[in-house]
Amino acid sequence: MTAPPAPESRAAFALDVRHVATHANAVACLLAGRRAPVSVSWGGGSITADVLLVRADADHAVQAPEGGFSALYLSGLSWPGGSEVAAPVAGPLAYLAADAMRGRDDAQRELRCALGQGAAPLSPAIEAIRKRLADDPMHRMSQLELGRRLGVERTTALRMFKAATGQTFRGYKRWTGLLHAIDQIMAGSGIGAAALDAGFADAAHFSRAFRSAFGLSPTKALNALVRSPET
């Protein structure tokens, strides 16, 4: 089976930065040093490899070589590892990861399946909700509306959404809002305008959410962005 399509397929970035402060990814993330191995450290240890897969919701810091690192965020990917924060990706998977980071959708789909995301496609109802949230972060869909769309009561709807997507309903809305704002900023919008357009209360609210998810301020990330990502 193929993995469900992800509106976050565009979430691939390359940053010329050597250190990223402690943060917790909203979704699973692939990291690759652009010129040498990259390291991830956390309270219980550290790991260094050419390519690393970092699980979601785990506090960690990143140490990169000269030239920085590339990152690919994989929403909905089930963590295939154990209790560790990060695991190395080697061999054919590492080459596949490099192609996925360069924006090849077919490579990302193949990579997801190889990493254990060979699940059945999302139900039409969940897929429609997910797409609506990704396409229009300003649509403030409530938990009650989620339940109405799924035809169940609110708490059941929240459990169904997390089981299907791997993220809480609230977390998914925040994540898609961040990606939307990033798109706007990369297209030339100011941080404040992009934040409001993505549904954040103001630039400060967006900056806090951004730093929590990526370990950098929006300004520092934008200044470090490499316009032509390559691993």
Side-chain angles (χ1 to χ4, degrees), residues 172-206:
Y172 188 83
K173 290 196 293 183
R174 182 171 57 248
W175 176 242
T176 54
L178 281 169
L179 292 182
H180 182 79
I182 291 169
D183 280 350
Q184 297 300 307
I185 292 169
M186 292 178 67
S189 293
I191 291 175
L196 292 175
D197 190 54
F200 293 93
D202 50 35
H205 180 206
F206 168 68

Side-chain angles (χ1 to χ4, degrees), residues 133-153:
L133 294 173
D135 290 346
D136 184 12
M138 281 295 288
H139 179 66
R140 301 181 185 278
M141 187 183 296
S142 68
Q143 295 179 3
L144 290 176
E145 181 181 348
L146 175 69
R148 288 196 299 270
R149 284 172 172 260
L150 295 179
V152 296
E153 55 91 20

Side-chain angles (χ1 to χ4, degrees), residues 56-80:
D57 301 322
D59 287 337
H60 67 283
V62 179
Q63 294 78 41
E66 182 179 354
F69 64 94
S70 295
L72 173 64
Y73 294 88
L74 296 164
S75 180
L77 181 73
S78 299
W79 174 245

Side-chain angles (χ1 to χ4, degrees), residues 15-157:
L15 298 173
D16 187 0
V17 64
R18 300 291 300 275
H19 177 75
V20 177
T22 298
H23 64 288
N25 297 333
V27 301
C29 178
L30 274 170
L31 299 176
R34 300 185 70 240
R35 298 178 185 171
V38 64
S39 299
V40 166
S41 60
W42 60 96
S46 64
I47 187 171
T48 301
D50 291 331
V51 183
L52 290 170
L53 179 64
V54 185
R55 68 180 172 91
D57 301 322
D59 287 337
H60 67 283
V62 179
Q63 294 78 41
E66 182 179 354
F69 64 94
S70 295
L72 173 64
Y73 294 88
L74 296 164
S75 180
L77 181 73
S78 299
W79 174 245
S83 61
E84 294 295 339
V85 170
V89 176
L93 276 182
Y95 293 106
L96 191 59
D99 285 341
M101 288 180 177
R102 294 187 184 102
R104 275 185 48 195
D105 288 342
D106 58 334
Q108 185 180 140
R109 286 191 293 269
E110 187 178 345
L111 180 68
R112 284 173 174 272
C113 289
L115 291 172
Q117 184 66 13
L122 298 179
S123 71
I126 292 285
E127 176 61 26
I129 291 167
R130 188 184 69 153
K131 189 174 187 305
R132 177 65 189 274
L133 294 173
D135 290 346
D136 184 12
M138 281 295 288
H139 179 66
R140 301 181 185 278
M141 187 183 296
S142 68
Q143 295 179 3
L144 290 176
E145 181 181 348
L146 175 69
R148 288 196 299 270
R149 284 172 172 260
L150 295 179
V152 296
E153 55 91 20
R154 180 183 65 84
T155 55
T156 299

